[in-house]
Amino acid sequence: MNLSLTLAKVEHAPAIAALLQANSAAEGGTLYGDWSQAAVTRWIESGSPIVIALQGQQLKGVLFSAEKADASAPPVVAMLQAWPGEADAYVYGPVCIDASTRGQQLLGKLVDELGHQTHGRQGILFINRSNVGSLKAHQRLGMPTVAQFTLGDQLFDVLTTA
């Protein structure tokens, strides 16, 4: 698989939004939230590193990050209350990999590149307990579960990159 990893630019927003929407809860996936092109564009413009994987011109994966101070989504706020992490930690995720590319170690490549872009800072992420595939994939990368929280009737694990 010949992939290039790069930081997302505004011109990538339509492809990122399409990938996220295709994997949203509304489509039977596990991603929740507003993944419109406008929302993705705002996130890119915020300046937090967003790593994408391209195969030619085709988007194969994306990994978002954000500063803890910018946390406003209820699951992110609940995660940081359950486990705030290191003082300079960042919020990791969401991550989404195109179905055709899953199981090919792309997650590890995205995580490594984001680690490089964030200068080795600690990332904090949450995964819904029902998303066994994502939990296993992150655990295979050595990310420990450090806390749990409940939001509504959903149970989430909190993991960390370092």
Side-chain angles (χ1 to χ4, degrees):
M1 176 175 39
N2 188 15
L3 291 174
S4 62
L5 299 176
T6 189
L7 291 178
K9 298 180 178 87
V10 170
E11 58 261 27
H12 298 120
I16 295 169
L19 177 64
L20 295 171
Q21 289 169 1
N23 290 278
S24 70
E27 296 296 324
T30 58
L31 294 176
Y32 293 87
D34 175 8
W35 304 117
S36 65
Q37 185 176 330
V40 170
T41 298
R42 281 191 304 275
W43 202 323
I44 293 169
E45 290 174 339
S46 78
S48 290
I50 300 169
V51 178
I52 60 171
L54 297 169
Q55 187 172 36
Q57 297 298 313
Q58 192 171 28
L59 181 71
K60 292 297 184 175
V62 60
L63 174 54
F64 287 80
S65 72
E67 294 302 320
K68 289 192 307 183
D70 297 335
S72 62
V76 178
V77 171
M79 171 187 73
L80 293 173
Q81 288 172 342
W83 201 78
E86 295 175 1
D88 69 343
Y90 65 92
V91 175
Y92 164 118
V95 62
C96 186
I97 296 174
D98 183 75
S100 69
T101 312
R102 292 182 189 148
Q104 298 179 35
Q105 284 72 50
L106 179 54
L107 177 61
K109 293 173 184 174
L110 290 167
V111 170
D112 287 348
E113 181 60 22
L114 184 58
H116 173 73
Q117 294 293 331
T118 58
H119 309 286
R121 291 167 48 206
Q122 179 185 61
I124 307 167
L125 60 143
F126 66 89
I127 302 173
N128 190 311
R129 257 299 178 74
S130 66
N131 190 348
V132 175
S134 185
L135 281 168
K136 286 183 179 179
H138 284 85
Q139 289 165 346
R140 275 193 299 271
L141 294 177
M143 295 185 193
T145 299
V146 293
Q148 294 178 334
F149 68 92
T150 303
L151 194 62
D153 61 352
Q154 303 282 316
L155 179 61
F156 296 87
D157 282 352
V158 179
L159 293 87
T160 181
T161 61

